[in-house]
Amino acid sequence: MRRRSLILAAVPAGLVTIAGCGDDKSDKSKTSVSESPSAQAPSSAPPPKIVDGPLPAITAGTKFGEKPTVAKGTGEPSDQLAVKTVIAGGGQTVAENDYIQANYLGQIWDTAKVFDNSWDRKTPLVIQLAQGSIIDGWRYALTGKKAGSRVEFSVPPTWGYGKGGNTQAGIKGTDTLVFVVDLQETFNAKSSAKGKAVAQDDAKLPKVGTNTDGSAPSIEVPKVDPPKDLVANYVLEGDGAAVGAQDSVLVQYKGVLWDNGKEFDSTYGRKSLTSFGLSQVVKGWAQGLTGKKVGSRVLIVVPPSLGYGDNPPQGSGIGKDSTMVFTVDILAKM
């Protein structure tokens, strides 16, 4: 049985809770269909053939990072998946089940009607390329591409929204969709923060490893009484956007007990990243991560009053009134 994350403070459907453990796929941020090409239901369709075209021309915004303008499709679109790498990047290769960060535009082949784009929201999409998380066309088109690439592809209904379409987005069950995706970054179980090391010179606080190879950082807890107040210090300071109190984040983390240094929870052990909203987690996490920058590793020491107090999750190995110590890598803001 795979342990579920212990950091969440509520019980939203499909997410892990602080109350116990059980089988679950990796956590997924909950975005509405109008804000991402999220899958409506897992597809049972066989994999498509990847073909070169046809694909409509990108007539403006042709550079990576620019919002593209895409011409109307001409003639009949392919009934398979037409994929073209418009700009080849040199970054990490995307694998299925990775998380990606990307800007994108989606429109309908027959009409060139844009039904969604992230550029206007000024926020790139962060989502997992996993079955059930996103339409299958994205999984098949983007797997194997490199970060830094612009990819254009067309998705027939079979690997899009199916015969039912998506009425909220104005997509009919017969519509072929055209996407332009700028792949900014990809994240997986070996991802880590890449910030600048910050001095850890308080002997009364735990010391956290500064390795950036994707393995779990060490946590050395001093043999002194724990602090009574929350501690949230940079170990590696990134240069990304600051996390807001209502934001969702994609993280790697490890948690140990102050009293004995015993590990009780870790994404590294599960080999699976975790995403969540700060409104869903224990108060110590929410307060500790608010204001911290993406790309950072943060030491968080959570006193019982901001953790589980006298009601820890059953079977977690966390005792009553335990002080918890976490190392958290903030990989992306969602």
Side-chain angles (χ1 to χ4, degrees), residues 48-322:
K49 293 180 181 178
I50 306 298
V51 298
D52 293 334
L55 285 167
I58 299 173
T59 58
T62 57
K63 295 180 181 179
F64 184 91
E66 293 181 341
K67 178 184 175 182
T69 300
V70 183
K72 178 181 174 181
T74 57
E76 291 295 320
S78 175
D79 62 357
Q80 299 297 311
L81 203 65
V83 182
K84 179 182 180 181
T85 300
V86 180
I87 299 171
Q92 183 177 333
T93 301
V94 175
E96 187 169 356
N97 295 316
D98 282 0
Y99 284 82
I100 59 166
Q101 178 174 296
N103 274 313
Y104 71 96
L105 178 141
Q107 68 184 46
I108 296 171
W109 176 281
D110 287 336
T111 64
K113 177 188 175 183
V114 175
F115 58 84
D116 191 18
N117 86 90
S118 63
W119 275 278
D120 287 354
R121 290 194 294 274
K122 303 186 187 309
T123 302
L125 173 70
V126 177
I127 199 165
Q128 190 177 23
L129 288 184
Q131 187 174 29
S133 294
I134 197 165
I135 58 174
D136 282 346
W138 273 58
R139 290 198 298 124
Y140 293 120
L142 298 178
T143 295
K145 303 302 182 184
K146 292 181 180 292
S149 297
R150 167 169 284 190
V151 184
E152 183 183 14
F153 53 100
S154 66
V155 182
T158 302
W159 297 282
Y161 293 104
K163 295 179 180 179
N166 185 318
T167 55
Q168 183 179 353
I171 298 169
K172 302 191 299 293
T174 56
D175 285 335
T176 289
L177 313 179
V178 178
F179 290 97
V180 176
V181 177
D182 283 5
L183 286 167
Q184 296 177 337
E185 293 190 67
T186 183
F187 308 98
N188 57 35
K190 299 296 290 182
S191 296
S192 69
K194 301 292 185 182
K196 182 180 179 180
V198 175
Q200 302 179 70
D201 50 13
D202 189 336
K204 294 182 179 180
L205 291 179
K207 299 294 188 294
V208 175
T210 58
N211 59 293
T212 59
D213 59 357
S215 59
S218 59
I219 302 177
E220 300 177 7
V221 181
K223 297 184 182 302
V224 298
D225 290 337
K228 294 182 179 179
D229 296 324
L230 176 72
V231 174
N233 294 341
Y234 284 120
V235 176
L236 302 173
E237 185 173 358
D239 58 4
V243 176
Q246 301 303 314
D247 284 336
S248 295
V249 289
L250 179 68
V251 302
Q252 288 263 42
Y253 72 91
K254 183 174 81 171
V256 304
L257 299 175
W258 182 286
D259 287 345
N260 56 20
K262 181 180 178 181
E263 180 180 311
F264 60 86
D265 195 13
S266 170
T267 56
Y268 301 96
R270 292 194 297 274
K271 294 180 170 47
S272 177
L273 304 179
T274 289
S275 62
F276 53 82
L278 292 193
S279 61
Q280 298 171 308
V281 294
V282 294
K283 291 180 180 179
W285 266 64
Q287 294 177 20
L289 292 181
T290 297
K292 295 296 189 287
K293 290 181 281 188
V294 172
S296 299
R297 177 171 296 162
V298 183
L299 163 69
I300 304 179
V301 181
V302 181
S305 61
L306 297 176
Y308 300 120
D310 62 359
N311 187 31
Q314 186 177 3
S316 66
I318 302 171
K320 291 183 178 181
D321 298 319
S322 289

